[in-house]
Structure formats: structure tokens, C-alpha cells
Amino acid sequence: MNVKLLAGVMLVVATGSACAADGQKARKAFRQMDINGDRALQFTELQAARATLFDRLDANRDGVLDEGEAKAALQRVREGGRLQMATAEGLETQARRMDANGDGRIARAEFAQFIPDRLLRADTNGDRTLSLPELKALRQR
């Protein structure tokens, strides 16, 4: 798997629907991810959303993301104008971290369990939950 392509796929989630520039879409995405309705996003809720996203990205349903699937995902993100710039080195590092077993492939469980650095930093109190104020601060960055 091309690490840069995989890193690009990671961006789909790292930029996050809940942090989208379009406020209405962001609110809808937030409500969908906030499974327990407490107006905060637990990391477990983010992981459930990532598992759902993986299922959409894994076009051939083989349980891993391949280069073709990564390219298709990146193209959809680019067409939607949601691709934010980031350093290739930083993305490659996160993609390597996402590949927990180091086999060069990203399985569903690895993709779902991974919490992007941007979201980890947004959790300022370390409770593994993103409160509305933390999400608003993230969105403003």
C-alpha cells in the first residue's frame, strides 16, 4: 500500500465531518455520531463512525484498504473540496501508526481504533470525549 495514499484516506476522517466548514452538515454528522445523545463525542463513538466509513471505503469488501480504494476515496474528497493541506511527513507518520501490526495494510479494526492526532489534541482534558467546546475550538483551528 502506498503510504501517502493511505495517509490521504486517513485525512477523510482526520478532518472529520463533525468539523466540516458547512455548519448544517457538521451538525447532522455530529447527531449521527453522538449515539448516546449526550451532546459530546466519546472516542468509542468516533471509532464506530470510523468503522462505518471503512465499510464505505472498502469497495471490494476484503477487510483491508488497498491502493485503488485509497485513490477513489481521495478523489471523492478532492471533488468535495474537503481536502485540507497537511505535511506529507505527518500524514505518513499517522498512516504508519494506524497500521498497528506493521503489515503494510490497514484492516478494518486498525482503521476504526485509530484516533487521529488532531482529535487527540482537541481532547484537552484527556477524558477520551470531545465536548462541544472542544469541538468548537477544533473547528476554529
Side-chain angles (χ1 to χ4, degrees):
M1 163 78 63
N2 180 321
V3 176
K4 288 182 183 178
L5 283 172
L6 182 56
V9 171
M10 190 213 49
L11 259 182
V12 173
V13 176
T15 56
S17 298
C19 303
D22 182 330
Q24 186 175 10
K25 287 182 182 177
R27 284 188 292 280
K28 181 180 178 185
F30 178 86
R31 285 191 301 273
Q32 288 174 337
M33 287 188 282
D34 184 19
I35 297 166
N36 66 5
D38 67 350
R39 297 181 46 89
L41 293 179
Q42 284 73 35
F43 283 5
T44 55
E45 291 170 323
L46 293 172
Q47 291 165 331
R50 288 179 60 86
T52 299
L53 175 61
F54 181 93
D55 292 341
R56 288 196 327 250
L57 297 174
D58 184 18
N60 64 6
R61 305 287 183 243
D62 66 351
V64 295
L65 295 181
D66 63 37
E67 191 167 337
E69 291 161 337
K71 283 181 181 179
L74 276 175
Q75 185 60 35
R76 286 192 303 270
V77 171
R78 283 188 183 112
E79 288 169 0
R82 297 187 317 244
L83 187 61
Q84 296 181 1
M85 298 307 293
T87 68
E89 181 179 306
L91 293 174
E92 289 176 26
T93 298
Q94 288 206 47
R96 276 194 228 75
R97 286 184 32 232
M98 193 185 308
D99 181 15
N101 66 6
D103 68 355
R105 303 176 343 155
I106 303 299
R108 185 179 192 271
E110 290 172 319
F111 189 89
Q113 292 300 310
F114 184 79
I115 302 294
D117 289 344
R118 182 174 184 215
L119 300 181
L120 291 170
R121 284 190 306 270
D123 179 21
T124 55
N125 64 3
D127 66 354
R128 299 190 56 81
T129 298
L130 297 175
S131 65
L132 287 176
E134 287 170 330
L135 287 167
K136 286 178 184 176
L138 175 64
R139 189 169 178 216
Q140 292 171 351
R141 285 184 217 147

